[in-house]
Amino acid sequence: MYKLIGIDMDGTLLNSQKQISARTQSAIQAAKDKGVQIVLSSGRPIEGLRAYLDQLGLNSEHDYAVHYNGSFVENVLTGEIIRQQVVSAADVKTIGRTARSLNVNTHAFSQILGLITPKSSKYTQLEAQINHIDIHEVDFETLDDDHPMIKAMIVDEPEKLTQAYQNLPAAVVEKFTIVQSAPHFLEFLNPQSNKGLGIQAVAERLGIPAEAVMCIGDAENDHHMLEYAGLGIAMANAMPQTKAIADYITASNDEDGVAQAIEKFILV
């Protein structure tokens, strides 16, 4: 019996209209009624999860969320941080310089200023829109080295991003956990930060072994948690490399894939 389900947001839990379908909400509630812990695990900040956590009733002192791709694991009600691994301002400057050298756009998340970018692009605007947060134009080079950061991102057209990914300097690749969360988002995290470690932190807090964990995702940033889980499930709309590591492939996010997976493996 699976006792914890880690669920990615965009492309997984949410359909193309950024909504949770009635069938999916019903399946999640039925799993909760059976005592299964539901954990939303996303590259979004916690602000971008709140409305969905409230919609699903995942807002009690017993609920946890993994956000910023595992940089933070947080008690949803109390705000207690049970795990935190972030990057430094010096790291963000490195990514900014790398982005300039590769002729792609960049933004980052500051613990004080929120979403910051040297120059706003349509994908930074998309990030702000999705998460209902403001954009602050900040030259990364002006940040003090002790300025508290969270993560950095390279954001651009998918073709440009793919080329930039392939041409990242070896020193950068070795220094960060690098995950692609969308065709236009490439994320640079603390090397000890990923969704797998985030879900593991919740499971250990609750005394749940990895074999009793099920995780569902659609993109490269979900790989660590799919590999950690006793059962890793990819969406039909997932990246090919995500499907390749999954134990099972469910329907797409527009076909209630999360609901179908819960019905098959939990509600039996």
Side-chain angles (χ1 to χ4, degrees), residues 22-23 39 67 87 92 104 132 168 171 194 217 228 234 264-265 268:
R23 180 178 175 183
V39 181
H67 53 105
V87 300
V92 170
V104 287
H132 308 289
L168 288 173
N194 61 63
Y228 165 74
K264 179 177 179 64
F265 293 106
V268 291

Side-chain angles (χ1 to χ4, degrees), residues 21-34:
S21 73
R23 180 178 175 183
T24 296
Q25 183 164 345
S26 177
I28 287 174
Q29 184 59 54
K32 288 171 59 183
D33 291 344
K34 291 189 70 171

Side-chain angles (χ1 to χ4, degrees), residues 200-211:
Q200 181 180 350
V202 178
E204 291 180 350
R205 167 65 70 99
L206 301 176
I208 297 172
E211 57 266 27

Side-chain angles (χ1 to χ4, degrees), residues 56-67:
L56 295 171
L58 300 175
N59 48 13
S60 78
E61 62 182 333
H62 305 294
D63 291 306
Y64 297 88
V66 176
H67 53 105

